[in-house]
Amino acid sequence: MNFDTRKFLASIRPADIAHIVTPELSADQQAKLLFFLTGAFLTPITLAGVLIGYVRGYNLYMRPRQAAPSIGDIPPIVQLSMVIWGVMIWLALLVFVLLLRMIAPLFGDMTPYIPIYLAINVILSVLVYVCFHRWRIDINNHLIESTRFGTARFAREEELSPYQVINNQQNFDPIVLIFFPVFYIFLTRKEFK
């Protein structure tokens, strides 16, 4: 049996090679990879800022709709929250770097510390993401438990709005407050029992 290398190589298309080499990542996996790279190269503090932005955006815009905290399909407003918090953390880092630059001449050359810096950032990034992942699991468990007993659930803000007091004015007729006690006394009399 002869193995013809030319036929073998001719039968392989470049698109097949690209398909084999290119990883197929889901949206969640892509987001996790992006979070990990953010933490590794832009410090875990930046990753923490981005994830704090996600949590705040989720609590404000996704939680009232009882949406699961998916990191693969993030609404634009939550993405904006993540960017804003990431930038706010960078501003805090800028202040930190300025303070560090004032102190750095006291310690000399810091080049040997770069691998240590990256290693510490990777470890802290994993810890920050583990905390975030635990929060996501808690939210998912809450959403699962809230639908455990059928359709019974707590009312949402917009469902309670007709019953809330607005500017010390109640949303029902005050005449009910006057006549309800009268009807109650009337119906609880001995003649009706």
Side-chain angles (χ1 to χ4, degrees):
M1 180 166 145
N2 289 338
F3 181 72
D4 191 3
T5 308
R6 280 185 248 158
K7 283 184 181 178
F8 175 72
L9 292 176
S11 67
I12 299 174
R13 299 177 304 169
D16 293 336
I17 295 172
H19 184 67
I20 289 172
V21 175
T22 306
E24 295 180 13
L25 299 174
S26 69
D28 277 356
Q29 291 170 332
Q30 289 174 355
K32 286 178 188 176
L33 179 64
L34 185 63
F35 286 158
F36 178 74
L37 292 175
T38 299
F41 292 106
L42 299 177
T43 76
I45 296 171
T46 306
L47 178 62
V50 168
L51 295 179
I52 288 170
Y54 177 84
V55 171
R56 298 225 357 124
Y58 173 82
N59 286 334
L60 289 174
Y61 299 105
M62 295 169 62
R63 192 174 196 165
R65 290 185 259 137
Q66 293 185 340
S70 170
I71 59 173
D73 184 28
I74 302 173
I77 189 70
V78 178
Q79 291 176 1
L80 178 65
S81 173
M82 293 168 72
V83 169
I84 289 172
W85 277 90
V87 169
M88 287 173 48
I89 289 294
W90 270 108
L91 293 175
L93 279 174
L94 179 64
V95 170
F96 176 73
V97 167
L98 291 175
L99 291 174
L100 189 63
R101 288 189 90 198
M102 291 189 304
I103 298 172
L106 301 174
F107 297 108
D109 185 26
M110 295 202 172
T111 307
Y113 299 112
I114 292 175
I116 296 170
Y117 170 79
L118 287 175
I120 290 172
N121 282 345
V122 167
I123 291 168
L124 291 177
S125 295
V126 168
L127 290 175
V128 166
Y129 186 77
V130 165
C131 292
F132 173 71
H133 185 67
R134 184 69 219 150
W135 173 82
R136 283 182 56 216
I137 289 172
D138 289 345
I139 294 294
N140 279 326
N141 288 343
H142 172 72
L143 292 174
I144 289 169
E145 285 295 320
S146 67
T147 59
R148 185 174 177 187
F149 300 107
T151 59
R153 62 174 175 78
F154 289 111
R156 295 189 193 112
E157 182 85 24
E158 63 269 9
E159 295 169 339
L160 293 175
S161 62
Y163 307 106
Q164 292 178 342
V165 175
I166 301 172
N167 295 332
N168 294 328
Q169 295 177 354
Q170 296 172 337
N171 292 334
F172 57 89
D173 196 2
I175 212 108
V176 173
L177 291 177
I178 297 169
F179 287 111
F180 181 74
V182 173
F183 286 127
Y184 179 76
I185 292 169
F186 181 73
L187 293 175
T188 55
R189 290 176 50 183
K190 290 183 181 181
E191 292 90 28
F192 289 103
K193 290 187 178 181

